[in-house]
Amino acid sequence: MKIIILLAMVSVAFSKSLTVSILPQKYFVEQIAGDNFEVNVMVKPGSSPETYEPTPKQMIELSKSHAFLAIDVPFEKIWLPKISENYPDLKIFDTSKGVQKRSIEHFESIIEVEEDVHHDCENCDHEHEENHHELDNHEHHEGHNHGGENDPHIWLAPEMIKIQAENIKEALISIDPSKKEFYIENTIKFKAKLDELSKIVSGVLTQSNVKSFMVFHPSWGYFADQFKIKQIPVEVEGKSPSPGQLKEIIDLAKKKEIKIVFVQPQFDKRSAETIAKSINGKVLPLNPLEENLYDNLLDAANKIAGSMK
C-alpha cells in the first residue's frame, strides 16, 4: 500500500496538465497531445460558457496547469485578466487566432430579410420560387452583417477546427518541444479526420436537400456556413421572443415547412415548445458542448437532415 501511495504521489508530481474552457477543446487537445497531458475543463456539463464563473477550486487548480488554452468564449473576457493577474507565470494561448469570425444572427435580421424579399417580389409571376431562392442566398450571406457581436461558436465547423488544431499544435510544441514531431504528426491525422467528417456531413445534408433549420440559441452559424444551410434562431437579442415575435417565428416556420425546433440543454425550452406545438412538430436537443466533436457533428447533421420531414 505504501508503494502504491508513493507511486501515485510521484505520478502527480510529474504529470503535466493543461486547462481549456469547454469540453470540445478537451477532445481537440487529446487528439493532438495523446496521453502527454491531462486536460482540465473549466465549463462543466450543464453550464454555459456565456455566463460561467470558475469555482474557487478551479482557480486553485490552475496553479498546477502548464498553460491555459483559450477559445474566445464570453466568460474568458472577464476571467482571463483575473487569471493572468493571479497566475502571472501561467502561459495563455489563444486557439481562436486566425479564425475569421462571423457576426451572430438574431431573429429580427431573418424577418427583415424575409420582408425585403417579399416586397421586392410582390408582383413577380414566380413569387414563391424566387422568394425561396433569394431568401436562402440572402440569409446565408447577409446574416453575417447583423448584430455586430462576434459568434464565439467556432468549434462547430470542421474547417474552423483545423485552424484551431494548428494553434493547439504550436502551443504544445512551445510547452513540450521534445515531442514536436509527435504533435505535428497527430495534427496531420486530426485534420485528415476532420476532412473525412466534412465529407460525411456534407453528404448527409445534401442528400436531405435541407435548406434551413430552427434553433433556440444561434450556436450553429459556422456549421451552417460551411455546409451552405441556414440557421433560424428563436432568440431575439439573447432573450426569449415576445408574443408578437413568437407569432412571426411560427409563421416563418410554417412557411419553411420546419417540423423540428432544436434546443440547447443549457437554455429554457418553453418558447421552442410553443413553436413546436403550433407547427405540429417537436423539440429535439442539439448540444454544441458535447465533448466528442466528431460524433456530435454527425448527430447534428442527421437531426438537421430530418428537421423538415
Side-chain angles (χ1 to χ4, degrees):
M1 181 61 71
K2 289 182 180 179
I3 293 174
I4 292 172
I5 293 172
L6 180 61
L7 288 173
M9 291 174 64
V10 170
S11 174
V12 169
F14 287 95
S15 65
K16 294 181 290 184
S17 67
L18 300 170
T19 298
V20 298
S21 290
I22 56 174
L23 279 167
Q25 283 181 284
K26 181 176 187 287
Y27 177 81
F28 303 162
V29 173
E30 289 177 346
Q31 294 293 305
I32 300 170
D35 296 329
N36 289 313
F37 288 90
E38 178 186 350
V39 183
N40 302 313
V41 182
M42 296 293 277
V43 181
K44 300 301 182 185
S47 299
S48 169
E50 314 239 345
T51 56
Y52 189 72
E53 294 188 8
T55 65
K57 182 181 178 182
Q58 285 180 314
M59 291 295 286
I60 292 170
E61 287 175 346
L62 271 173
S63 64
K64 303 172 189 175
S65 278
H66 285 66
F68 188 105
L69 303 186
I71 194 173
D72 199 28
V73 288
F75 93 89
E76 292 175 355
K77 291 174 173 57
I78 295 172
W79 284 94
L80 280 184
K82 296 178 182 180
I83 289 169
S84 294
E85 183 180 346
N86 281 282
Y87 306 106
D89 295 329
L90 179 69
K91 295 180 179 179
I92 297 176
F93 297 90
D94 178 11
T95 66
S96 73
K97 184 176 63 176
V99 173
Q100 184 66 42
K101 302 287 178 65
R102 71 195 304 280
S103 293
I104 199 162
E105 289 120 331
H106 300 295
F107 182 72
E108 298 105 311
S109 67
I110 307 298
I111 289 295
E112 285 170 14
V113 171
E114 175 77 15
E115 289 173 348
D116 289 346
V117 172
H118 179 74
H119 177 75
D120 291 343
C121 291
E122 237 171 12
N123 301 314
C124 296
D125 292 335
H126 306 288
E127 180 179 337
H128 176 77
E129 182 180 347
E130 291 189 15
N131 275 1
H132 181 78
H133 176 73
E134 186 173 352
L135 178 58
D136 283 333
N137 286 314
H138 193 172
E139 281 178 348
H140 180 71
H141 296 291
E142 296 300 321
H144 296 199
N145 298 325
H146 291 274
E149 177 190 355
N150 280 344
D151 186 343
H153 305 91
I154 61 172
W155 63 91
L156 292 172
E159 288 302 313
M160 300 293 101
I161 299 165
K162 286 162 68 175
I163 299 171
Q164 295 165 69
E166 285 292 325
N167 292 328
I168 292 168
K169 177 195 72 178
E170 293 302 321
L172 293 173
I173 291 172
S174 173
I175 299 163
D176 186 19
S178 66
K179 294 187 176 64
K180 177 179 178 179
E181 295 305 318
F182 176 80
Y183 299 138
I184 291 173
E185 183 179 344
N186 278 359
T187 302
I188 293 170
K189 290 178 181 176
F190 182 39
K191 289 167 77 174
K193 189 174 181 179
L194 291 168
D195 286 337
E196 173 192 58
L197 176 62
S198 289
K199 287 180 183 178
I200 297 171
V201 169
S202 181
V204 168
L205 295 173
T206 300
Q207 188 175 5
S208 73
N209 202 32
V210 65
K211 301 297 182 187
S212 57
F213 61 104
M214 184 166 280
V215 293
F216 180 81
H217 182 66
S219 305
W220 296 85
Y222 293 99
F223 178 92
D225 286 350
Q226 178 172 340
F227 298 107
K228 297 179 173 58
I229 57 176
K230 180 64 188 177
Q231 72 167 353
I232 300 173
V234 172
E235 260 187 359
V236 179
E237 294 186 345
K239 301 174 184 177
S240 293
S242 68
Q245 291 163 336
L246 198 59
K247 182 183 182 303
E248 290 183 299
I249 295 168
I250 290 167
D251 289 344
L252 183 56
K254 287 178 178 178
K255 178 177 180 179
K256 287 184 167 289
E257 299 180 338
I258 289 170
K259 294 299 180 186
I260 295 175
V261 184
F262 294 107
V263 293
Q264 187 170 328
Q266 297 82 14
F267 290 85
D268 189 339
K269 62 180 183 179
R270 283 175 293 183
S271 294
E273 288 172 340
T274 300
I275 296 165
K277 185 177 180 180
S278 298
I279 62 175
N280 196 27
K282 58 184 177 180
V283 173
L284 283 182
L286 203 60
N287 187 2
L289 294 169
E290 290 286 350
E291 180 175 339
N292 189 321
L293 186 281
Y294 192 99
D295 289 349
N296 195 33
L297 292 194
L298 284 180
D299 178 62
N302 282 300
K303 285 179 177 177
I304 291 169
S307 64
M308 300 183 72
K309 296 178 182 178

